[in-house]
Amino acid sequence: MNRQRSLLSFFQKSSSANSDSGTGHLGGGPGAPIFSGKEEKLNVPAAFTQPASLPANDSSAEVRGTDTPPEKVPRQILPSTFSSNEKRNGASPFSRIMHKFVRDDDGGKATRRSQSATEILNKTSPASGRCTNTNLKEQCKQEVAFQPIIKDNVAISNRADQEDIIPVEDNEDVPGPETPGMRPLASHAKRCRDDGSKFSSLLDSSKRVKFLEDLTSPNMTKKEVDLISKFEWLDPSRIRDANGRKPDDPLYDRTTLYIPPEVLKKMSASQKQYWGVKCKYMDIVLFFKVGKFYELYEMDAEIGHKELDWKMTLSGVGKCRQVGISESGIDDAVQKLVARGYKVGRVEQLGTSEEAKAKGSNSIIPRKLVQVVTPSTLVDNNIGPDAVHLLAIKEGSDLNNGSVLYGFAFVDCAALKFWVGSIDDDASCSALGALLLQVSPKEVIYERKGLSKEAQKALKKYTLNGSTTLQLTPVQSLTDLISPEVTDLVRLNGYFKRSSNSLDHALNKVNHPETTACALGGLINHLTRLMLEDVLQNGDIYPYQVYRGCLKMDGQTLVNLEIFSNNADGGVSGTLYKYLDSCVTSSGKRVLRSWICHPLKDVDGINNRLDVVDGLVLRPEIVSLITQHLRKLPDLERLLGRIKITLQSSGPLLLPMFRRKILKQRVKVFGSLVKGLRTGLNLLLLLQNEGPLMSSFTKVFKVPVLTGGCGLDQFLTQFEAAIESDFPNYQNHEVTDADAEILATLTEVFMEKATDWFEVVHAINCIDVLRSFAVTSSMSCGTMCRPVILSSSKSTSQDYVGPVLEMKGLWHPFALGEHGSLPVPNDINLGENTGAHHPHTLLLTGPNMGGKSTLLRATCLAVIMAQLGCYVPCENCDLSVVDIIFTRLGATDRIMAGESTFFIECTETAQVLQNATQDSLVILDELGRGTSTFDGYAIAYSVFRHLVEKVNCRLLFATHYHPLTKEFASHPHVMLQHMACAFESESDGHSKRRKEPVFLYRLASGACPESYGLQVALMAGIPEKTVNVASKASQQMKKSIGRSFQSSEQRSEFSTLHEEWVKTLVSISRIKDSETFDEDAFDSLFCTWCELKTSLRSGN
């Protein structure tokens, strides 16, 4: 940089030689400075101009993190035969310093270039700097429009388009076409506008200025310039993957790059180091360590310039486009890029320049790719409380029944845990959606040709909005290995060697181990490529069940009920997770999410959790003490993972540049873990003194031995003493070489009880979640009660008479009423209980905006909360266990997926009809409205009747098809109710009165006479004249449709169901053998008996 300043200061001096005519007279007069700035426009690149407003020693003009002399190609200088043509053309502005760049063995290349440049100088006007030759002048205008310019941190003239730019080439040893950094960048448009320049391809640099001599060729076209201005093998039209495939090839591998052999031969040693790694990691932003700086080149430099606003220079390996940062800022830069979705790698130096020089003049510093960080494999403390998962999926088919199946494997690198499993699915991909919403992965790996279009649509459909962004990573093949070969690979490489469960044990718990093993093999290949073998060797592996043993909710149900993200903006506000989340610890929040994904079906398990919540609600002082301890805890689960991964992992410590930093981090992590576990053990010891409460806790989770000679309390005390003696200031310990051995010994002994420590952490997490349930139950703004959980139909209990759902005073837990008040409570009574008999189906009608959907959602949420082991938002609740919740709510379409509103309705309804059982809870809202009136009514009628008479599940069916209320008014399994409303008169300003609906949000008996859609239309702002026309048309349609429905007003007394019963009775009378009766015949007999009984009572 001092050398450049000396050159700049030289150019600023006045020269007597410039007083001559010709090209030497650039200043405008004798004694004038060569670069006078404002008075004359000079035919010299602006980057050589030192502005008067900036002092010579101003550091703002420097680019930090780019000067790396030890590994750079030395500056090329001019041969001794160079001639500046001073005699013929006058003094050149470069003539005073040409003797400083003379070398005998240059081969004459620079001579030819300077002669060409001098010829251009001879053709320009000395006063104005414009081209005097007409043809060349036109060529200059054409080239200036697209020619890349390198500018210093100086003000650019507003009339820059009137200046002529003299292309000057600097001889660089670049493989392939010369000077790849000359490619124009559209991302620099903002800089151009800020500087007032009219050039759209301006490059910002204060390091050095380079121009192509070839651009001055009269016959050079813009296309040829573009090809020369970059590496030929990086051109989009010529780029190939490692197998030579083009980007439009279906098998193209975007993670690799083909570099021609002849290009590799011409590369310097440092270039081969960089491109040898980059050609295998084209999807990675690769930082290359040079001296005390980390540099990005070519396409990675564009990313650094675009995302981090770093200044682009022409330097680095091969003199290509480059941005860089000092080693002190690399961690922050990596964090920013990863937060924006990039995968970032670091090529580190394994030695110093002094060590390389000591080996010989031709030796270079050895380098190696040591780290790749991706958004899905983060492990540090800046990733937030949510789990970060990387998911691999393999699609297959079941030959027995033809259904679709998926094998999957996913990992949480921070917690050092792997899960494997499989699911059976259909064309709707509802089970796949449930998996995606439960796992909430940051990245999904799948086979490009091995995943169906339906599955790819599901990946996009169930991507969470808000803070979570899903990366889809298609690969050619997850793995070529079959299940036994994957098992052998795991065994040979020592993967999962420290896991409490073996891989065979995990796969034995899976329905489709072959497909699951393929998914695991793909995950292993991906992690190996990312240099994460330590995660594989030290990770724990578990089987994962999406549905088994829990209340089943598919992907669409999780979306409809807004369990984890709302339908407004995709955030967590207004969700069940947010409502229940009063957890203090990050790991507690993750366990809460897991519990919500898998509500219990076991009655004893639910009651055990409710017993703990009861005890905590009655003991608020205990809740306060628990909260105080939990607030002192770090993320123990992730700290244990970070300690476990360091066992027998000394690889990073071998790097001299990394050793001290990594060792210091490990000391801090181990000290924080020991101190945090002490706080956790103190909490468990405190709860042990609370006998009844602790006995309730131990029914929910396992607590290891805490006291005594073999207890964890005494064991942990020894490590506390070691921390105090060896690392008293563990948060900022000054490490020495001896500390590595001490720390390795301590961690190895400490992790001998790894299983016990994980049990302690799990117990603390469960305490945090149950405390959260107690806080929600006691601090809620409405009435909360403990639900009474009854056995399901599969139980052998003799008291069971059918599914039950009875809730008194039910209100929506997080949907506030008008002016922030509580929602209006309502009573739901479905099913047969020991005390009374109620139909198991509710046919719900009411006005638009009357609260039907809110009531349906509140019912489902209360069931989920009850089976989680939490209090529910009502006064009393009796509930038999629900096995599946189905929902068909709202009207949405997915145009990009080619799915209309009605198609989505039918898809969701098909799931209900195919999978609902007697113990299911089904919610259907306005089924059939996406098509014509008659088709929609026919579908609603047939679906409703099937669920009522065939499935016999608990059903809440909201509709605006009022003829349904006439058809099923006499059905013994159907109860008619509606959302009440009233009307008040308002003046419209012309002394006329009109009725304004007032929604009461209260559930009332019977059917609603109409939906009052015209009144709602007025409220929404539709002109009254239009509504009046609609009112007249409505009356006419009611008359005609009424005749089509054959006097439907009288069908409540004798419906089509009665007709079917009569037909069944006639057919039964003709049967001689009673053993041939089917279930439908008996159902008809029962319904007829109920109907006759009701008629006799009403007649009396």
Side-chain angles (χ1 to χ4, degrees):
M1 190 57 67
N2 292 332
R3 184 176 186 181
Q4 293 175 352
R5 289 177 181 149
S6 64
L7 293 177
L8 289 172
S9 61
F10 172 82
F11 284 130
Q12 289 176 322
K13 295 179 181 179
S14 58
S15 174
S16 59
N18 294 334
S19 60
D20 298 335
S21 61
T23 59
H25 196 145
L26 296 173
I34 294 179
F35 294 90
S36 58
K38 298 181 179 180
E39 296 180 2
E40 293 286 337
K41 291 183 293 184
L42 304 180
N43 194 12
V44 180
F48 287 130
T49 307
Q50 179 74 10
S53 60
L54 291 175
N57 59 353
D58 187 358
S59 62
S60 65
E62 299 181 12
V63 175
R64 298 171 177 82
T66 58
D67 196 7
T68 53
E71 274 62 71
K72 301 298 179 61
V73 179
R75 179 184 292 275
Q76 302 297 317
I77 56 180
L78 302 175
S80 57
T81 58
F82 177 81
S83 174
S84 62
N85 298 325
E86 294 181 15
K87 296 180 181 180
R88 184 179 58 186
N89 300 315
S92 166
F94 306 101
S95 60
R96 295 282 300 272
I97 59 170
M98 286 304 176
H99 67 280
K100 300 179 182 290
F101 295 87
V102 174
R103 190 174 67 181
D104 294 335
D105 57 349
D106 189 78
K109 295 181 181 179
T111 303
R112 291 190 298 271
R113 281 195 303 275
S114 10
Q115 288 174 352
S116 177
T118 308
E119 291 175 3
I120 299 299
L121 286 171
N122 293 337
K123 296 178 182 180
T124 59
S125 172
S128 65
R130 298 185 179 181
C131 299
T132 55
N133 183 281
T134 303
N135 295 332
L136 187 58
K137 181 176 181 180
E138 294 178 357
Q139 175 196 351
C140 290
K141 291 182 179 179
Q142 181 181 2
E143 291 175 353
V144 163
F146 61 86
Q147 181 170 267
I149 311 298
I150 309 301
K151 75 177 184 65
D152 202 340
N153 289 343
V154 298
I156 305 295
S157 171
N158 291 332
R159 294 175 294 175
D161 57 326
Q162 298 178 3
E163 298 186 40
D164 292 324
I165 308 301
I166 304 301
V168 180
E169 181 189 45
D170 187 11
N171 184 25
E172 303 292 353
D173 185 14
V174 180
E178 297 283 347
T179 58
M182 300 306 297
R183 180 167 124 187
L185 292 178
S187 60
H188 287 246
K190 181 177 182 298
R191 293 182 180 276
C192 299
R193 289 195 300 269
D194 293 342
D195 293 334
S197 173
K198 296 183 180 179
F199 295 104
S200 63
S201 58
L202 203 60
L203 292 178
D204 192 355
S205 172
S206 60
K207 184 73 176 176
R208 58 185 68 169
V209 181
K210 300 176 185 290
F211 297 101
L212 287 174
E213 178 192 40
D214 296 330
L215 292 180
T216 62
S217 173
N219 299 323
M220 183 65 67
T221 64
K222 183 178 186 301
K223 181 177 180 181
E224 293 171 334
V225 172
D226 289 339
L227 291 176
I228 291 177
S229 66
K230 65 191 76 172
F231 289 108
E232 185 179 35
W233 33 278
L234 287 180
D235 185 270
S237 63
R238 301 189 180 188
I239 196 169
R240 303 287 188 276
D241 65 6
N243 295 316
R245 303 187 185 99
K246 296 181 180 181
D248 56 358
D249 192 307
L251 300 179
Y252 175 74
D253 183 6
R254 65 184 183 87
T255 66
T256 62
L257 173 69
Y258 172 73
I259 302 178
E262 61 274 12
V263 174
L264 283 172
K265 293 180 180 179
K266 297 179 182 180
M267 286 186 179
S268 64
S270 59
Q271 289 176 270
K272 291 179 180 179
Q273 282 183 329
Y274 174 77
W275 289 108
V277 176
K278 184 63 181 176
C279 69
K280 302 175 184 177
Y281 290 89
M282 287 297 290
D283 57 329
I284 305 295
V285 178
L286 198 63
F287 280 96
F288 193 71
K289 182 71 177 295
V290 183
K292 293 184 178 296
F293 298 93
Y294 289 88
E295 300 179 348
L296 298 175
Y297 305 121
E298 282 301 311
M299 66 289 295
D300 291 346
E302 293 183 19
I303 295 174
H305 171 76
K306 173 185 176 182
E307 300 291 348
L308 304 177
D309 200 28
W310 288 350
K311 295 181 179 180
M312 189 84 71
T313 63
L314 298 177
S315 184
V317 287
K319 298 298 180 290
C320 54
R321 291 174 295 168
Q322 169 206 328
V323 296
I325 190 69
S326 64
E327 58 185 4
S328 61
I330 183 61
D331 291 335
D332 183 60
V334 171
Q335 182 179 346
K336 289 180 179 179
L337 288 175
V338 172
R340 297 176 186 180
Y342 293 96
K343 303 175 182 179
V344 184
R346 289 164 68 170
V347 176
E348 293 288 344
Q349 294 181 169
L350 304 182
T352 62
S353 58
E354 291 74 12
E355 294 173 350
K357 291 179 181 178
K359 296 179 182 179
S361 58
N362 295 327
S363 299
I364 64 168
I365 300 175
R367 294 181 175 88
K368 180 183 178 181
L369 178 65
V370 299
Q371 183 186 45
V372 178
V373 183
T374 71
S376 60
T377 58
L378 290 172
V379 297
D380 58 26
N381 293 325
N382 297 323
I383 57 179
D386 296 334
V388 178
H389 290 142
L390 169 64
L391 173 67
I393 294 180
K394 172 71 174 180
E395 183 175 347
S397 59
D398 192 337
L399 299 179
N400 296 327
N401 54 21
S403 65
V404 180
L405 62 91
Y406 299 95
F408 60 87
F410 62 96
V411 59
D412 182 351
C413 292
L416 222 63
K417 292 182 179 180
F418 289 77
W419 292 269
V420 293
S422 65
I423 51 176
D424 294 284
D425 210 347
D426 52 24
S428 67
C429 298
S430 58
L432 178 59
L435 171 67
L436 293 172
L437 292 176
Q438 289 179 13
V439 175
S440 184
K442 285 282 190 178
E443 181 179 4
V444 177
I445 309 168
Y446 64 95
E447 291 182 345
R448 179 180 285 107
K449 293 293 185 179
L451 205 63
S452 62
K453 293 183 178 179
E454 290 76 13
Q456 294 186 38
K457 291 178 182 178
L459 290 180
K460 299 176 182 178
K461 170 183 174 181
Y462 293 107
T463 300
L464 290 178
N465 298 322
S467 60
T468 302
T469 302
L470 177 64
Q471 286 188 345
L472 300 179
T473 305
V475 297
Q476 293 301 326
S477 175
L478 284 176
T479 180
D480 296 328
L481 305 178
I482 60 177
S483 180
E485 294 173 334
V486 172
T487 305
D488 293 340
L489 174 68
V490 169
R491 186 179 299 108
L492 291 175
N493 290 278
Y495 298 152
F496 314 119
K497 61 184 178 181
R498 299 183 184 278
S499 174
S500 56
N501 298 316
S502 66
L503 175 60
D504 293 335
H505 175 268
L507 291 178
N508 289 337
K509 298 290 185 179
V510 175
N511 293 333
H512 308 284
E514 293 286 341
T515 309
T516 302
C518 290
L520 177 61
L523 183 63
I524 291 174
N525 290 341
H526 188 78
L527 294 176
T528 303
R529 180 174 180 264
L530 299 181
M531 321 293 292
L532 293 174
E533 287 87 352
D534 289 342
V535 175
L536 290 165
Q537 293 173 355
N538 296 283
D540 286 298
I541 188 165
Y542 306 94
Y544 187 86
Q545 304 292 343
V546 176
Y547 289 143
R548 183 178 297 175
C550 66
L551 168 61
K552 178 180 176 182
M553 297 179 290
D554 62 17
Q556 192 59 50
T557 297
L558 294 173
V559 172
N560 288 339
L561 297 180
E562 298 178 302
I563 302 297
F564 296 115
S565 61
N566 63 55
N567 296 328
D569 58 6
V572 297
S573 61
T575 63
L576 179 63
Y577 172 74
K578 179 66 174 178
Y579 178 73
L580 295 176
D581 181 21
S582 296
C583 296
V584 177
T585 64
S586 298
S587 52
K589 294 177 183 293
R590 294 192 291 272
V591 171
L592 171 62
R593 182 185 179 91
S594 177
W595 283 17
I596 294 176
C597 291
H598 304 89
L600 301 178
K601 288 197 302 184
D602 178 57
V603 176
D604 293 334
I606 297 172
N607 285 324
N608 289 337
R609 292 182 182 179
L610 288 170
D611 291 340
V612 176
V613 175
D614 277 343
L616 293 176
V617 170
L618 297 175
R619 300 287 301 278
E621 70 280 2
I622 296 297
V623 175
S624 178
L625 287 175
I626 293 174
T627 304
Q628 292 176 14
H629 283 78
L630 293 178
R631 284 176 178 169
K632 300 176 183 178
L633 292 178
D635 196 330
L636 295 177
E637 185 180 30
R638 287 175 175 167
L639 290 179
L640 271 173
R642 295 182 67 179
I643 289 298
K644 187 177 180 181
I645 203 174
T646 62
L647 297 177
Q648 300 180 358
S649 175
S650 59
L653 293 178
L654 300 177
L655 300 175
M657 305 300 179
F658 265 1
R659 181 178 177 83
R660 294 181 63 85
K661 180 179 180 180
I662 293 179
L663 186 57
K664 188 173 183 177
Q665 289 178 349
R666 290 184 178 180
V667 169
K668 181 178 180 180
V669 169
F670 185 69
S672 301
L673 177 60
V674 170
K675 297 297 183 182
L677 285 174
R678 168 49 62 194
T679 303
L681 286 184
N682 289 341
L683 173 60
L684 295 178
L685 293 171
L686 174 66
L687 293 176
Q688 275 191 342
N689 298 329
E690 303 293 333
L693 184 60
M694 192 60 183
S695 63
S696 300
F697 273 122
T698 54
K699 294 179 182 179
V700 179
F701 52 79
K702 180 182 178 181
V703 180
V705 179
L706 301 180
T707 58
C710 299
L712 294 179
D713 184 33
Q714 184 175 346
F715 184 74
L716 184 63
T717 303
Q718 301 175 11
F719 290 92
E720 290 181 288
I723 294 293
E724 291 295 335
S725 61
D726 296 322
F727 312 110
N729 186 23
Y730 66 89
Q731 294 281 0
N732 190 23
H733 179 72
E734 294 296 331
V735 296
T736 62
D737 293 339
D739 291 335
E741 184 176 355
I742 296 173
L743 184 62
T745 303
L746 288 175
T747 54
E748 185 173 358
V749 176
F750 181 84
M751 293 306 292
E752 288 178 358
K753 292 185 177 293
T755 302
D756 293 335
W757 294 130
F758 280 110
E759 288 180 353
V760 169
V761 173
H762 179 67
I764 294 172
N765 294 340
C766 292
I767 292 173
D768 194 9
V769 176
L770 293 171
R771 185 206 66 87
S772 179
F773 286 171
V775 171
T776 302
S777 302
S778 59
M779 302 298 292
S780 180
C781 54
T783 303
M784 305 284 286
C785 74
R786 172 174 176 157
V788 177
I789 307 299
L790 307 175
S791 300
S792 65
S793 61
K794 298 179 182 179
S795 174
T796 58
S797 174
Q798 297 180 355
D799 297 334
Y800 179 81
V801 292
V804 176
L805 177 60
E806 295 185 0
M807 298 180 181
K808 181 180 180 181
L810 173 67
W811 55 280
H812 195 291
F814 45 85
L816 297 179
E818 191 175 0
H819 306 301
S821 60
L822 283 178
V824 177
N826 289 290
D827 298 342
I828 297 292
N829 295 292
L830 299 178
E832 302 177 9
N833 204 345
T834 56
H837 165 75
H838 295 284
H840 55 69
T841 300
L842 171 61
L843 183 55
L844 181 63
T845 55
N848 295 284
M849 300 172 56
K852 299 189 298 296
S853 298
T854 301
L855 178 65
L856 301 184
R857 286 185 169 91
T859 305
C860 293
L861 294 174
V863 170
I864 296 171
M865 293 172 65
Q867 296 190 209
L868 282 173
C870 181
Y871 281 16
V872 295
C874 57
E875 298 175 8
N876 294 299
C877 176
D878 291 342
L879 171 70
S880 59
V881 173
V882 176
D883 63 348
I884 312 174
I885 292 180
F886 293 99
T887 60
R888 156 83 279 275
L889 297 171
T892 58
D893 56 25
R894 291 186 288 272
I895 297 301
M896 301 306 296
E899 299 177 358
S900 66
T901 301
F902 184 63
F903 181 84
I904 296 174
E905 283 188 42
C906 293
T907 301
E908 296 173 1
T909 305
Q911 286 292 309
V912 178
L913 299 178
Q914 294 168 9
N915 301 298
T917 69
Q918 183 180 359
D919 292 319
S920 300
L921 174 62
V922 179
I923 306 296
L924 296 178
D925 186 13
E926 300 185 25
L927 177 64
R929 64 179 175 179
T931 184
S932 67
T933 301
F934 292 101
D935 288 347
Y937 173 80
I939 291 175
Y941 169 83
S942 59
V943 170
F944 183 76
R945 183 172 181 178
H946 176 83
L947 293 175
V948 170
E949 299 183 355
K950 303 296 183 182
V951 181
N952 296 316
C953 61
R954 284 160 287 188
L955 170 64
L956 283 78
F957 194 100
T959 185
H960 287 290
Y961 290 127
H962 293 278
L964 281 177
T965 64
K966 310 302 180 183
E967 293 285 348
F968 294 92
S970 299
H971 200 293
H973 291 166
V974 178
M975 176 171 52
L976 302 182
Q977 289 185 297
H978 69 278
M979 302 304 295
C981 69
F983 291 89
E984 63 178 4
S985 298
E986 285 190 357
S987 173
D988 59 0
H990 299 282
S991 301
K992 296 181 180 180
R993 314 291 291 181
R994 67 179 184 181
K995 293 182 178 181
E996 186 79 13
V998 177
F999 304 113
L1000 304 180
Y1001 307 109
R1002 178 172 50 82
L1003 197 60
S1005 299
C1008 187
E1010 58 177 298
S1011 295
Y1012 306 109
L1014 298 180
Q1015 286 77 7
V1016 175
L1018 281 173
M1019 296 173 60
I1022 293 181
E1024 187 173 357
K1025 292 183 179 180
T1026 304
V1027 174
N1028 292 334
V1029 173
S1031 178
K1032 296 178 182 179
S1034 175
Q1035 297 298 326
Q1036 296 295 328
M1037 292 175 65
K1038 285 180 181 179
K1039 293 179 181 180
S1040 60
I1041 293 177
R1043 291 191 297 269
S1044 299
F1045 275 106
Q1046 301 176 358
S1047 303
S1048 61
E1049 292 299 325
Q1050 299 178 0
R1051 297 194 64 80
S1052 60
E1053 299 179 2
F1054 191 83
S1055 69
T1056 53
L1057 294 177
H1058 296 82
E1059 296 175 3
E1060 294 294 333
W1061 296 343
V1062 171
K1063 293 178 182 178
T1064 304
L1065 288 174
V1066 172
S1067 63
I1068 291 174
S1069 65
R1070 297 175 180 175
I1071 297 176
K1072 297 181 180 180
D1073 186 4
S1074 61
E1075 294 181 357
T1076 60
F1077 283 9
D1078 58 7
E1079 293 184 0
D1080 289 343
F1082 284 112
D1083 288 342
S1084 298
L1085 287 174
F1086 172 76
C1087 292
T1088 305
W1089 174 80
C1090 293
E1091 180 66 18
L1092 290 173
K1093 186 177 179 180
T1094 304
S1095 299
L1096 290 174
R1097 287 178 179 177
S1098 61
N1100 293 334

